[in-house]
Amino acid sequence: MNKKIIVFLQCISFSLVSLWGASPDPVHSQNGMVVSATDLASEAGIYILKKGGNAVDAAVATAFALAVTYPQAGNIGGGGFMVAHLRDGTDFSLDFREMAPSAAFRDMYLDTAGNVAQGRSLYTRLAVGVPGSVDGLLKVLKDYGSQNLSRKEILAPAMHLAKKGFIISDHFAHILNYFHDYFMRSPAAAEIFVRSDGKPWQAGDKLVQKDLYKTLKHIAKYGRDGFYSGSVADMVADEMSSNGGLITKDDLAKYESKYRDPVRGTFDSLEVVSMGPPSSGGTLLIQMLNMLEEVPLDSLGWNSSEYIHYLTEVERRAYADRAEHMGDPDFWDVPLYVLTSKRYAMDRFATISPDTATPSSQVFAGKPSQYEGRETTHLSVVDKEGNAVSVTTTLNTSFGCGYVVPGAGFFLNNEMDDFAAKPGVPNVYGLVGNEANAVQPGKRPLSSMTPTIVLKNSYPWLVVGTPGGSTIITSVMQVILNCAVYHMNVEQAVCAPRIHSQWLPDVIMTEPFSVSKDVETKLESMGHKLVPYTWEYIGQVNAIRIKKDGLYGGADIRGENAADGY
Ligand code: DON
């Protein structure tokens, strides 16, 4: 299986429609808005809001519904992050990232010659980290849900969709057919995701997931224990021990999601609240926005050569820091305050030439230790209006490692590939890492997921996040810039073509229609190298813009994302 294709399919739409310029208006509503990867999952969230649930209840219901309607990513066999800003002024972030099993070890992805064993961290049972989604979603429900609805009521839409099935779209049928061979590697996956008559799926077919229904019912009844101990845990442990995987019942029982302090920054008059380590997302987002504050962006045209040059230069510096300084904070001392400080950003920015690309070979990680203690944390003031929640979950690449737990009906993740298997050797997203992100038992692999809430005058202004591996951080940043600097409406902002760079490889990756010929020529004359993005489309951003006259939902046209409001 071509690993590039696998990621591609998680991230983008098949339809090569003329996306740009024809983006529809955002969905407008007054009382509530959910934007997610499928219309059925968004509807599940709205249903919960209408029943008296709050944004946390709705986010949890939507996430569980995605486990059914978006099995390629929104799955209980994986993990994720949540950032929330509540009406009473609380904001918090929850890390439910997968964790390396206790038997994991540093060189587990190297062959006897010391080279990275192709595919081991992606397509085998060794690729699986201990799943975190169920623990995280139930924890946040208990701590911050409205308590107006029971766990069973919150899971009801997901259970219904799994038990009764749902009608699949042409787009989803294409995805399932494309992954036919991938599913055939796992009899349990084939039984569910290959049509029983062996024929290709078609729009209008119904996908029923009986085993997943039983698992969800178990979770509804027993809570966390319905997944991390008892029969579901037995099934996961059996799947592992019979196929060379490492996760044991003890690993499952010990898994714990963790509240972490969100990372905070400012960009002009906006405050950014986002996910800190073990995600690199919020930290890099704030570092890059800090550097971009030095640039008069509003005098540069959108996606002009100057704009793309500055974005690329700040991106390569931030991603160089990511590779050297970032990992699970329980195992590695991440110099967070420095990396997100204005002072550090100014010094990093000072190395950027306005008209010449700096080759990545001449860009190194900064030396945050020189700054330690010279910067204070950022403060955010939160008011009492509106709850906002931003959640990103994942299995890593599409359908994770491709193995469904027999009897339990869900795919297992391949998040272990987000560790640095060997210093300097790129992972599936081309990201390199070092000691900070080496495999260790009980450690969480460094993520790029960037669930973010932007505040203005302490009120939520934009809720934003996306899939897309290493491109997540730069996609979130471009959407913020599209809204804040270029005054696009939220639908235009999420649909607009994007560019991306990440230090290594030393290129600017472009989406179709993102860069005109003359801009390309100008950037090349500055020393940049442009290449089409490997998987053609970058991310699928789902965002909500909060304005005086209501809520505006922006669902990315790259996929089947849907905004639903009431
Ligand atoms: O945590 C991360 O950064 C990745 N595992 C996210 C994977 C992803 O976004 C795949 N989507 N296209």
Side-chain angles (χ1 to χ4, degrees):
M1 172 63 67
N2 180 338
K3 65 184 178 186
K4 287 177 180 169
I5 302 290
I6 291 167
V7 182
F8 162 85
L9 283 169
Q10 183 168 324
C11 299
I12 61 102
S13 162
F14 263 97
S15 51
L16 296 176
V17 289
S18 58
L19 303 177
W20 327 121
S23 46
D25 288 337
V27 172
H28 184 210
S29 75
Q30 298 294 339
N31 299 309
M33 177 75 66
V34 179
V35 190
S36 81
T38 73
D39 54 354
L40 291 169
S42 297
E43 279 169 24
I46 290 293
Y47 169 78
I48 292 296
L49 287 178
K50 284 184 175 166
K51 278 192 90 164
N54 67 10
V56 171
D57 296 327
V60 172
T62 306
F64 276 113
L66 285 167
V68 184
T69 62
Y70 203 68
Q72 58 269 51
N75 205 289
I76 56 179
F81 299 100
M82 174 184 284
V83 173
H85 175 93
L86 302 181
R87 183 186 169 78
D88 68 359
T90 316
D91 49 20
F92 67 84
S93 68
L94 181 64
D95 156 13
F96 48 99
R97 180 71 162 164
E98 300 90 332
M99 205 173 80
S102 51
F105 57 98
R106 192 199 145 101
D107 292 338
M108 61 189 277
Y109 299 114
L110 304 188
D111 60 20
T112 45
N115 298 318
V116 173
Q118 193 69 30
R120 191 183 292 171
S121 64
L122 283 167
Y123 310 122
T124 71
R125 271 77 169 192
L126 288 175
V128 187
V130 183
S133 290
V134 174
D135 188 70
L137 295 173
L138 296 187
K139 181 179 283 186
V140 78
L141 191 62
K142 180 164 70 65
D143 295 342
Y144 293 101
S146 67
Q147 318 303 332
N148 293 336
L149 300 167
S150 67
R151 186 166 64 219
K152 199 169 162 215
E153 285 172 293
I154 302 283
L155 268 95
M159 288 184 340
H160 179 83
L161 288 163
K163 186 180 182 188
K164 300 284 176 202
F166 63 96
I167 301 299
I168 67 170
S169 64
D170 188 45
H171 175 85
F172 192 49
H174 265 86
I175 291 181
L176 293 177
N177 293 334
Y178 188 86
F179 278 89
H180 173 273
D181 293 354
Y182 200 47
F183 299 148
M184 291 306 283
R185 296 158 65 239
S186 160
E191 203 180 309
I192 304 162
F193 295 101
V194 173
R195 241 172 71 152
S196 52
D197 61 3
K199 293 201 176 124
W201 292 97
Q202 288 183 345
D205 287 348
K206 190 184 259 191
L207 179 66
V208 178
Q209 298 173 73
K210 290 227 159 65
D211 288 340
L212 180 58
Y213 165 69
K214 280 190 266 166
T215 299
L216 292 168
K217 208 168 118 185
H218 236 71
I219 296 169
K221 192 163 176 196
Y222 302 111
R224 191 205 122 88
D225 289 346
F227 186 85
Y228 291 94
S229 54
S231 59
V232 174
D234 283 338
M235 289 185 258
V236 174
D238 283 353
E239 163 70 5
M240 288 285 130
S241 60
S242 321
N243 295 287
L246 299 182
I247 297 173
T248 60
K249 277 197 82 173
D250 194 45
D251 286 323
L252 290 164
K254 276 200 203 126
Y255 181 83
E256 201 194 349
S257 57
K258 292 184 178 180
Y259 289 107
R260 311 254 186 204
D261 289 337
V263 285
R264 295 162 200 279
T266 60
F267 177 67
D268 295 331
S269 62
L270 302 175
E271 294 167 46
V272 178
V273 182
S274 190
M275 193 66 221
S279 180
S280 62
T283 310
L284 262 64
L285 176 66
I286 290 167
Q287 188 188 354
M288 294 189 295
L289 288 172
N290 281 344
M291 285 192 257
L292 286 176
E293 264 184 346
E294 303 299 307
V295 183
L297 287 178
D298 43 8
S299 69
L300 309 181
W302 181 83
N303 272 18
S304 62
S305 53
E306 292 90 339
Y307 177 74
I308 294 177
H309 170 70
Y310 278 115
L311 254 55
T312 306
E313 293 299 311
V314 304
E315 286 167 1
R316 70 169 109 230
R317 283 158 180 78
Y319 278 78
D321 279 346
R322 180 193 196 277
E324 187 63 25
H325 297 303
M326 298 204 69
D328 182 345
D330 294 342
F331 288 74
W332 186 263
D333 195 10
V334 180
L336 201 54
Y337 299 128
V338 176
L339 292 177
T340 56
S341 75
K342 301 279 182 198
R343 171 70 203 281
Y344 181 70
M346 272 169 67
D347 286 1
R348 293 292 271 161
F349 183 80
T351 64
I352 296 176
S353 150
D355 44 26
T356 314
T358 325
S360 286
S361 57
Q362 289 168 31
V363 173
F364 305 98
K367 294 205 173 8
S369 56
Q370 293 175 350
Y371 294 74
E372 225 96 64
R374 288 167 58 189
E375 188 63 51
T376 53
T377 58
H378 296 284
L379 280 172
S380 295
V381 180
V382 178
D383 80 354
K384 290 181 192 279
E385 286 200 49
N387 299 304
V389 179
S390 190
V391 189
T392 313
T393 69
T394 187
L395 293 177
N396 196 21
T397 59
S398 281
F399 302 102
C401 67
Y403 297 106
V404 161
V405 179
F410 61 88
F411 282 102
L412 289 164
N413 68 81
N414 55 357
E415 220 70 61
M416 296 290 282
D417 188 66
D418 278 345
F419 279 119
K422 185 178 176 177
V425 177
N427 75 352
V428 72
Y429 304 107
L431 291 167
V432 290
N434 226 323
E435 212 45 54
N437 191 32
V439 184
Q440 278 178 265
K443 189 173 176 183
R444 299 173 193 226
L446 184 61
S447 172
S448 300
M449 288 190 272
T450 315
T452 296
I453 296 174
V454 180
L455 308 174
K456 184 161 191 169
N457 300 325
S458 305
Y459 287 88
W461 188 82
L462 183 73
V463 182
V464 57
T466 181
S470 58
T471 68
I472 290 174
I473 315 169
T474 59
S475 296
V476 167
M477 180 172 77
Q478 285 170 86
V479 171
I480 294 173
L481 295 173
N482 287 347
C483 291
V485 178
Y486 296 103
H487 306 292
M488 294 184 194
N489 74 39
V490 69
E491 188 63 29
Q492 292 164 335
V494 302
C495 293
R498 291 188 268 271
I499 47 142
H500 170 72
S501 62
Q502 57 182 47
W503 181 46
L504 295 174
D506 185 358
V507 293
I508 300 176
M509 303 171 204
T510 60
E511 273 190 317
F513 312 111
S514 59
V515 178
S516 65
K517 192 69 207 156
D518 59 329
V519 167
E520 185 176 339
T521 309
K522 179 81 193 298
L523 284 164
E524 280 166 356
S525 76
M526 296 164 99
H528 293 287
K529 182 165 182 259
L530 282 75
V531 296
Y533 182 58
T534 329
W535 300 297
E536 204 167 359
Y537 294 100
I538 297 178
Q540 287 191 37
V541 183
N542 285 328
I544 299 173
R545 177 80 167 79
I546 301 99
K547 295 173 104 168
K548 283 203 178 73
D549 66 346
L551 305 168
Y552 289 84
D556 201 325
I557 202 161
R558 301 162 181 84
E560 292 195 300
N561 304 287
D564 199 353
Y566 83 107

